[in-house]
Amino acid sequence: MSWGILVLAGLLEVVWAVGLKYTDGFSKLWPTVGTVFAMVLSVWLLGIAMKVLPVGTAYAVWVGIGAVGTAIFGIYLFDESANAGRIISLSLIVAGIVGLKLTTTI
């Protein structure tokens, strides 16, 4: 259950990170409200997951999901670079997340 909560927290991190782009420096009300809501919910869920999971593992997975997801959305929504080096680097982050999951004994 804690891993599912952690994944949801990581996905919400993607939502708020991408949402920051749409707030236009927090000058647009509704994108700002949605982004702040996603931020609070993401951190709250991370805290719940950390009741069971080791802090280092939970935080690394949360950040990793957020980084990879945000980079993927950046490629698709904002025409950011999708060169081989970037894709390989993102793949290594995913491998690290999987490795942390496989080696965590909880």
Side-chain angles (χ1 to χ4, degrees):
M1 180 68 137
S2 57
W3 280 99
I5 291 169
L6 181 59
V7 169
L8 181 57
L11 294 173
L12 283 165
E13 185 184 4
V14 174
V15 170
W16 70 255
V18 172
L20 283 173
K21 184 81 167 173
Y22 291 102
T23 68
D24 197 27
F26 297 104
S27 65
K28 294 182 179 175
L29 177 63
W30 293 114
T32 297
V33 169
T35 298
V36 170
F37 179 75
M39 284 177 176
V40 170
L41 189 55
S42 178
V43 173
W44 180 67
L45 290 172
L46 173 62
I48 291 172
M50 282 185 178
K51 287 182 176 181
V52 175
L53 297 172
V55 65
T57 298
Y59 186 74
V61 169
W62 181 69
V63 169
I65 292 169
V68 170
T70 302
I72 290 169
F73 273 94
I75 290 167
Y76 287 106
L77 296 176
F78 308 120
D79 296 320
E80 295 177 1
S81 173
N83 61 51
R86 191 165 189 208
I87 299 303
I88 290 168
S89 298
L90 291 171
S91 298
L92 290 170
I93 296 171
V94 171
I97 292 168
V98 171
L100 287 170
K101 168 63 173 121
L102 293 175
T103 59
T104 301
T105 58
I106 293 175

